[in-house]
Structure formats: C-alpha cells, structure tokens
Amino acid sequence: MEASEYRFMAEHQDRHWWFVGRRAVLAALLDGLNLPPDARILEIGCGPGGNLPLLGRYGRVTALEMDAYARAFAHDKTGVDVRDGRLPDALPFDGERFDLVCLFDVLEHVADDRAALAAIGGLLAPGGRLLLTVPAHQWLWSVHDEHLHHQRRYSHSGLRRVLAEGGFAVERLSFFNTLLFAPAVAARLLDRWRGNTTASGSALPGPAVNGVLGRLFAAEAPWLRRWNLPFGLSLLVLARPVR
C-alpha cells in the first residue's frame, strides 16, 4: 500500500466506522471458534495493529508486517511481537505453529494468492484454522483498489476455488458488509461516471455519520454468529488445511 494509507490507518483505525464495524464482525466469529486455552494466534499483514488487541482476547498473539512504519507502530501500540516478512516466501516462523492464522484484507494484495495460502497451511498446528476477509466483486473495482495496490477482488466461487487450490477445505464462507452494500455500489458507480481520482467515502466522516455507519456495519455481527449473508461488499472465510 501507499505510505499515506498506513498513516491514515494508524491515525483512524480505532474510530473509523469501517475498522470499528469489521472488528465487531470479527469478534462475533472469534467468539464461536472455541479456541484452546492460550491459543497461538498469528495475524499476517497486521498493518499498524488495530486488530491485535481484539485477537489478544483469544490467545497469545504474534504478527507479521512488511511495512517498517506500520510494524513499529503496531509493536509500540500493543507490545505484540511483530516480525518483518511477507507472503508467500519470507515467513520468519521456522518450526512455529499456530492454532489460528488471520488475514484481514490482505490476500488481495498478494500476487500469487495460491502460493500464499499453501505457505499459510504450513504454519497451522493440527486442528488449526485460517480466518480471512477479502473485498468482494471484481465489478466493484475502483480507484480505491488501485490506491491500495490490490491485485484483485474475489467472487464467492472464485475464493472457494483458490482456497481449494491452496490446500484448504472451507468450513464457512459468507458475504458481509451487507447493510451498506447499496449506497456503496451507488458511490462507486458515481465515482466512475465522474472520473474521480479518489474514492468517495474513504475519508473519516463527521462524528455523527461515522457513528451511524459504524453501528450499521456492526449490526451484522449477531446475524453472522448464526447465518451466512447472501451478498455484501466483502467476503469472510473460515477454513482448515487439507492434510
């Protein structure tokens, strides 16, 4: 990603509606995983560390981040061991195995996503699982994806296929960020029509709007504890490696 994006995340990850809402969704999923006591958890691509306190409620957390600024910020913010590395072939975890590996909006940045998934499979302990999120629908591609250096967005079937090719069996695959789907699609289409060079809605809105959007996004969490959602701006996956 651009250096400016890491700095934006560091400044706003604790209060921007998108980060707040996504953490609520992730917490609902993590609550249902029945992880072992003192679970070993790895977040790959932790950025400036916004998810690390949440993950720390479920076990002992280690993280990986390729950007030096984000890596230092995350460590200073949380005290978590944040190591330098990248997918698929620079993973500094010789002999270490984890009960849960998390990638939250990371896989779409990796050129060889199949090789990345295969490498992640080798980091999981027996019974370990992968939890990941990615942006959905290639037809929603926008200048925001380009600014973030995305390689792709994923379809439901395409994500299932690449997981299988990377050595994973899907336990759960659902869309999310559903309640805000229609206005987001309208904003993306309007950006294209206008030829905008920055994406609408990417900045931090005013407190009132930010609060409403965050509550709408977070409202999906109770539903996702029990049911999959049929459409949305993002996809989430829980999967196990095929041994």
Side-chain angles (χ1 to χ4, degrees):
M1 292 193 300
E2 303 286 348
S4 60
E5 192 65 28
Y6 284 111
R7 284 164 173 76
F8 177 87
M9 290 172 63
E11 183 177 357
H12 299 303
Q13 63 187 353
D14 291 336
R15 57 196 177 102
H16 191 287
W17 66 268
W18 190 86
F19 297 109
V20 170
R22 188 181 64 170
R23 281 195 296 272
V25 168
L26 294 174
L29 297 172
L30 289 161
D31 285 345
L33 292 187
N34 296 316
L35 290 167
D38 206 23
R40 297 158 296 174
I41 300 172
L42 170 64
E43 184 181 6
I44 295 178
C46 71
N51 302 312
L52 297 178
L54 169 65
L55 294 174
R57 289 163 28 192
Y58 301 91
R60 293 179 287 123
V61 180
T62 305
L64 182 79
E65 174 53 52
M66 60 181 285
D67 182 80
Y69 166 80
R71 189 167 61 248
F73 189 97
H75 174 72
D76 292 344
K77 174 184 174 69
T78 67
V80 167
D81 176 14
V82 184
R83 303 183 196 178
D84 184 15
R86 68 181 65 204
L87 288 166
D89 52 7
L91 297 173
F93 302 109
D94 289 346
E96 295 181 72
R97 296 295 179 267
F98 300 90
D99 300 300
L100 181 68
V101 174
C102 301
L103 286 87
F104 302 136
D105 291 87
V106 171
L107 192 64
E108 67 273 13
H109 294 270
V110 182
D112 193 341
D113 50 0
R114 292 163 181 81
L117 289 166
I120 291 165
L123 296 174
L124 285 165
R129 287 180 282 184
L130 166 67
L131 179 62
L132 68 82
T133 64
V134 293
H137 306 303
Q138 187 64 28
W139 57 268
L140 276 176
W141 186 267
S142 73
V143 293
H144 187 59
D145 295 285
E146 295 171 2
H147 181 68
L148 293 176
H149 296 181
H150 289 173
Q151 300 284 327
R152 68 197 74 79
R153 300 175 72 93
Y154 287 89
S155 67
H156 192 281
S157 60
L159 183 55
R160 183 179 291 275
R161 182 174 60 253
V162 76
L163 283 158
E165 293 171 351
F168 280 87
V170 172
E171 291 187 359
R172 181 150 186 217
L173 174 55
S174 175
F175 288 102
F176 71 108
N177 204 351
T178 298
L179 295 175
L180 296 171
F181 182 78
V185 169
R188 298 286 173 87
L189 294 177
L190 188 59
D191 283 342
R192 288 182 194 172
W193 181 71
R194 290 175 170 173
N196 289 349
T197 57
T198 57
S200 300
S202 56
L204 179 70
V209 173
N210 188 62
V212 169
L213 293 174
R215 287 190 291 274
L216 282 172
F217 195 170
E220 297 177 13
W223 288 87
L224 285 162
R225 285 193 179 98
R226 299 182 60 187
W227 300 291
N228 292 335
L229 297 177
F231 63 91
L233 297 168
S234 299
L235 285 156
L236 62 87
V237 168
L238 182 66
R240 290 185 184 272
V242 178
R243 301 294 187 186

